[in-house]
Amino acid sequence: MSIDVDAAADHLRAQWDRLDGWLRGLGAELGRAADRPSVLDEWSVGELVSHLGRVMEALARCGPVEPGTVPLSFAEYLGTYPDRAEEIAEATRTLDAELAPDRLGGVEALAAQAFARLDELDGERVVQARRGPITLQDMVVSRVVELVVHADDLSRSFPEVHDSPVHPGALDAVAAELLHVVVVRGGWSLEVHDPLLWVRLATGRERYDVDRLAKALAPLHTSEAVPDLGRMLPLL
């Protein structure tokens, strides 16, 4: 079962606070690194930071839907990402150009708008998001997924910084949600053994092979084995 909207909101706030504090702690180094490549192909560090604003802006732009609207499932919503990769990249570059004079301040303003909107949407079950209708619960969970994944991207983009911007509780929740997508599709009985490795494999950040997967996941029953998920991954 997916975490409820209140728990998801708690994870979102915790992950945002940790990531924002980590970025603030970089000080002037964040500005100096803005134009250098990040660990994501063709994305600079500055664009990756600005993308956090787009992540949160998506929540800020959510609104109510007509009664009876059928939402996308969480897995269906994640499935819309690959086909829009270039659109996402272009929108991020445009936003980065706008935020460049005060990149982190601009991202923080968009995050504040997102949390204010989340409070306004309290009680709504389904909301209209950029990619279609989705439950508010799944929308918030998707924002937690993005913040956790991009916090790890930023951490790997600053290998000289040893403390992590990834919130452990949010990471565990995201790992569980991504595993749930896989289990629903395949019907296996699996559990997360290494949350960070699993999230990296599930999101294409780590090269897939069955040995890595066996370190990330474990079967619930000792008589079973971890299935080969090569055709299913990455999820986004």
Side-chain angles (χ1 to χ4, degrees):
M1 289 292 291
S2 179
I3 56 176
D4 64 32
V5 66
D6 290 334
D10 288 344
H11 287 309
L12 185 65
R13 293 179 190 277
Q15 178 56 72
W16 169 252
D17 288 345
R18 182 167 182 137
L19 177 53
D20 184 40
W22 186 86
L23 289 168
R24 283 287 168 192
L26 293 177
E29 178 58 26
L30 183 61
R32 289 192 292 268
D35 293 329
R36 82 184 189 197
S38 74
V39 293
L40 297 184
D41 290 343
E42 301 182 6
W43 283 50
S44 69
V45 168
E47 288 166 347
L48 183 51
V49 172
S50 291
H51 183 67
L52 301 175
R54 180 172 164 79
V55 167
M56 300 304 284
E57 185 184 31
L59 177 56
R61 291 191 175 189
C62 285
V65 298
E66 292 294 324
T69 299
V70 178
L72 297 170
S73 70
F74 182 66
E76 289 171 334
Y77 189 79
L78 292 184
T80 67
Y81 281 60
D83 290 341
R84 303 182 69 174
E86 184 52 43
E87 176 189 338
I88 292 169
E90 184 59 35
T92 294
R93 287 190 285 268
T94 299
L95 180 61
D96 185 59
E98 296 173 2
L99 299 183
D102 182 13
R103 189 174 278 108
L104 186 51
V107 170
E108 289 171 336
L110 290 169
Q113 293 172 23
F115 286 119
R117 188 61 173 151
L118 180 57
D119 290 338
E120 293 170 359
L121 291 169
D122 184 38
E124 298 285 347
R125 193 185 80 82
V126 180
V127 296
Q128 182 64 41
R130 282 190 182 120
R131 297 177 177 84
I134 186 173
T135 66
L136 180 59
Q137 173 180 326
D138 284 344
M139 182 60 193
V140 177
V141 169
S142 75
R143 300 307 88 192
V144 183
V145 169
E146 292 229 25
L147 285 191
V148 165
V149 170
H150 292 313
D152 184 45
D153 291 336
L154 282 161
S155 181
R156 291 184 297 119
S157 297
F158 287 88
E160 68 277 15
V161 180
H162 298 298
D163 61 314
S164 173
V166 178
H167 188 277
L171 173 62
D172 287 343
V174 166
E177 289 293 331
L178 295 178
L179 179 61
H180 182 68
V181 172
V182 168
V183 168
V184 167
R185 290 178 179 176
W188 301 288
S189 298
L190 300 168
E191 61 183 356
V192 177
H193 183 71
D194 184 330
L196 185 58
L197 178 57
W198 165 236
V199 168
R200 289 175 175 176
L201 287 168
T203 60
R205 267 60 179 179
E206 186 89 19
R207 182 176 60 82
Y208 176 85
D209 64 44
V210 292
D211 290 334
R212 284 189 177 92
L213 186 67
K215 293 177 181 178
L217 301 178
L220 282 175
H221 308 293
T222 56
S223 60
E224 298 176 354
V226 176
D228 184 352
L229 302 180
R231 293 187 178 182
M232 188 178 292
L233 301 181
L235 298 176
L236 71 159

